[in-house]
């Protein structure tokens, strides 16, 4: 079993969505498509000073392009980000 992470405070771990097909021909990463990024919440921290987290494991979220840290778990790439500063909405 590989490295597992348990986020602290307002941090969450998100599995970003795969590249999308454009017109059935090309796989383009979301980053080049000039739209918000999306993914599924994999783990959540405990919140900040008595404020509960709004996201939960399994939620789909939209988040900012910059600000997240790349992490690897079990050979797959995930993003760790702040729920307060980086998540735009729950989808």
């Amino acid at each position: 079993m590989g490295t597992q992470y348990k986020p602290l405070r307002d941090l969450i771990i998100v599995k970003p969505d795969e590249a999308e097909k454009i017109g059935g021909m090309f796989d383009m990463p979301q980053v080049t498509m000039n739209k918000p990024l999306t993914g599924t919440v994999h783990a959540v921290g405990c919140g900040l000073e008595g404020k509960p987290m709004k996201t939960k494991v399994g939620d789909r979220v939209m988040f900012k392009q910059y600000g997240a840290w790349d992490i690897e778990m079990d050979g797959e790439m995930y993003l760790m980000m702040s729920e307060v500063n980086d998540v735009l909405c729950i989808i």
Side-chain angles (χ1 to χ4, degrees):
M1 179 159 213
T3 303
Q4 295 294 310
Y5 297 93
K6 172 65 178 151
L8 302 175
R9 301 180 311 278
D10 77 319
L11 297 177
I12 65 172
I13 296 175
V14 173
K15 175 70 173 160
D17 290 341
E18 297 293 325
E20 296 181 9
K21 291 204 176 205
I22 306 294
M25 298 179 70
F26 305 104
D27 287 333
M28 299 288 290
Q30 288 184 358
V31 133
T32 63
M33 296 172 58
N34 195 23
K35 68 178 192 177
L37 302 177
T38 58
T40 303
V41 177
H42 181 76
V44 297
C46 58
L48 291 173
E49 300 163 12
K51 296 179 183 176
M53 298 291 279
K54 300 210 183 316
T55 56
K56 62 184 180 305
V57 173
D59 281 348
R60 291 206 9 88
V61 293
M62 183 182 301
F63 54 90
K64 295 178 183 177
Q65 181 175 343
Y66 302 105
W69 299 277
D70 295 333
I71 60 173
E72 185 176 341
M73 292 190 303
D74 297 328
E76 293 192 50
M77 293 306 297
Y78 291 84
L79 299 171
M80 185 178 292
M81 66 188 70
S82 165
E83 180 189 78
V84 172
N85 296 315
D86 301 320
V87 174
L88 301 172
C89 66
I90 298 172
I91 301 171

